Amino acid sequence: VDDVTAGYYNPAGLLKIKKNIQVGLMHSEYFAGIAKYDYIGVSKRLDDKSVGAISLIRFGTDDIPNTTQLIDKDGNIDYDRITRFSAADYARKLPKGLDVGANFKIIHRRIGDFANSWGFGIDASINYEYKDWKFAGVVRDVTTTVNAWSYSIDEATREVFDRTGNEI
């Protein structure tokens, strides 16, 4: 890869960019539009030996029915109690490099109002050219991507899980 998308696929490939600034946008939908994947990236040549880039990626499912409050305290089903939420992963990468590239990524995951996490990881890559041959290597999650989750469940939702015997 030798354009702005190298910030995601192979950070060392950013060095092949000739233009001073590049911008990339992409939107894709999966499963008949249920899940959406969005990408935006910007790269800038810093000098003749280095390029910096920022990529923002979102993969998410929106408008998920939350049925944890469907049954009221008297055991009656009330469809007006259904709310909706989104679940999404976000990734931001900040790569730089010479013949070797690396990026630091910040991950944010969110599941409705009940749970979210922040995490980080590092990817590394190398490009090598010999005559007409080109070699590339990428190592994802060199540090193992770490996520710290926090949960916020109201008492009524906790009771629903308690009745089913599931632990929270």
Side-chain angles (χ1 to χ4, degrees):
V1 179
D2 59 0
D3 61 15
V4 67
T5 61
Y8 176 77
Y9 292 108
N10 181 344
L14 290 169
L15 295 170
K16 301 293 182 195
I17 294 175
K18 302 291 186 230
K19 294 182 179 179
N20 190 32
I21 295 176
Q22 280 192 354
V23 176
L25 302 168
M26 191 270 309
H27 172 78
S28 181
E29 296 185 8
Y30 298 92
F31 310 113
I34 294 171
K36 295 173 178 59
Y37 184 88
D38 298 300
Y39 166 84
I40 183 170
V42 178
S43 66
K44 178 171 181 9
R45 179 156 284 287
L46 303 173
D47 56 36
D48 63 334
K49 295 183 179 177
S50 56
V51 175
I54 296 175
S55 301
L56 176 63
I57 300 162
R58 179 188 188 267
F59 182 70
T61 302
D62 300 314
D63 208 26
I64 301 169
N66 175 3
T67 59
T68 59
Q69 303 299 317
L70 178 62
I71 301 172
D72 66 19
K73 63 182 178 179
D74 298 323
N76 300 313
I77 295 175
D78 183 355
Y79 291 102
D80 292 332
R81 296 170 56 111
I82 295 175
T83 58
R84 302 206 173 261
F85 66 93
S86 297
D89 290 350
Y90 297 87
R92 189 178 341 186
K93 300 184 176 198
L94 309 170
K96 68 177 187 175
L98 300 174
D99 293 327
V100 175
N103 62 43
F104 176 77
K105 58 187 175 185
I106 299 170
I107 309 288
H108 177 63
R109 292 186 167 146
R110 182 180 181 118
I111 301 175
D113 293 333
F114 351 103
N116 69 71
S117 75
W118 286 95
F120 66 91
I122 296 175
D123 300 336
S125 66
I126 187 167
N127 285 349
Y128 177 71
E129 291 184 32
Y130 178 74
K131 298 183 181 179
D132 289 337
W133 291 84
K134 295 181 180 181
F135 301 92
V138 177
V139 179
R140 298 262 184 232
D141 297 322
V142 172
T143 60
T144 303
T145 299
V146 177
N147 286 290
W149 284 90
S150 64
Y151 302 91
S152 173
I153 300 176
D154 61 30
E155 195 57 39
T157 303
R158 183 175 299 280
E159 288 176 17
V160 169
F161 284 102
D162 287 344
R163 282 192 301 242
T164 63
N166 295 318
E167 290 186 28
I168 301 178

